[in-house]
Amino acid sequence: PEPPPLPPLTLPDVHRPGPEEVRFGALFGVISGDMGLEECMELLMAMLLMGMHHAAARALDGIEERFPAKDRSVAERIDRAYLRAEIALMGHLSSEAQAVSEQALALLPLGEEEKKCFAYLHAEALRKAGRWDEARKAYSYVRDMDPSYRMVKSRLRELEEA
């Protein structure tokens, strides 16, 4: 089944966007009208790399509006779901990141590597939400998929010490 559409990402003001981020986000809204999907996605990635999570969330919402995921390939839908979960996690929306990763794991035809990535994101969201026991189980699930995943080992150690 097709995953249901998700509401726009509204990041909390934990880290209010600075004036540069606000200008950059507004600029994206102006110039993206003349850009294709690939260029829009490249700009979105630049925003993420610069730590502009609010602008990235707005850009992703704009991309979803102009280029709906339901009209894209499975690989593109998977990429968008991952980006949405990643932006939510970076923007302190752990419940949104949990929801997106759970939905992806349940409904998208993921390969093994993609399952591992979404499962790790899910575990990270649980940890950031303070749901330690669930996070421990989620990290253990990822460890079972890939025993050599170093960050999982580190997170499990952190949770055991907490």
Side-chain angles (χ1 to χ4, degrees):
E2 187 69 34
L6 294 163
L9 277 173
T10 304
L11 301 184
D13 286 333
V14 173
H15 300 289
R16 285 189 157 291
E20 296 83 17
E21 182 174 358
V22 171
R23 283 195 298 276
F24 199 86
L27 177 64
F28 178 83
V30 171
I31 65 173
S32 65
D34 296 330
M35 298 168 60
L37 176 60
E38 189 173 315
E39 293 86 6
C40 288
M41 293 300 281
E42 286 175 10
L43 263 179
L44 183 146
M45 294 306 293
M47 290 176 203
L48 279 178
L49 289 172
M50 291 186 284
M52 297 182 171
H53 306 124
H54 286 268
R58 284 184 50 209
L60 184 59
D61 290 338
I63 289 169
E64 285 294 329
E65 191 174 299
R66 270 192 67 214
F67 308 100
K70 65 180 178 52
D71 298 339
R72 314 308 315 164
S73 71
V74 170
E76 288 173 309
R77 290 196 319 262
I78 292 168
D79 288 346
R80 291 232 199 131
Y82 190 83
L83 268 175
R84 186 178 185 86
E86 186 76 24
I87 291 169
L89 194 60
M90 290 177 182
H92 305 281
L93 285 177
S94 56
S95 60
E96 172 84 11
Q98 288 169 44
V100 173
S101 56
E102 286 171 3
Q103 189 180 74
L105 287 163
L107 300 175
L108 291 173
L110 304 173
E112 288 305 308
E113 192 65 27
E114 293 160 335
K115 279 182 194 169
K116 182 173 67 173
C117 290
F118 276 105
Y120 181 78
L121 268 178
H122 186 247
E124 284 286 284
L126 291 167
R127 181 184 64 82
K128 286 190 174 192
R131 295 167 58 185
W132 313 125
D133 290 336
E134 292 171 87
R136 193 174 293 110
K137 288 176 190 170
Y139 284 122
S140 295
Y141 173 74
V142 177
R143 182 194 56 210
D144 293 345
M145 293 174 79
D146 182 356
S148 63
Y149 202 140
R150 279 189 283 170
M151 275 309 297
V152 170
K153 291 177 187 177
S154 175
R155 293 292 192 224
L156 283 168
R157 237 184 340 270
E158 275 178 32
L159 291 171
E160 292 304 319
E161 294 169 2

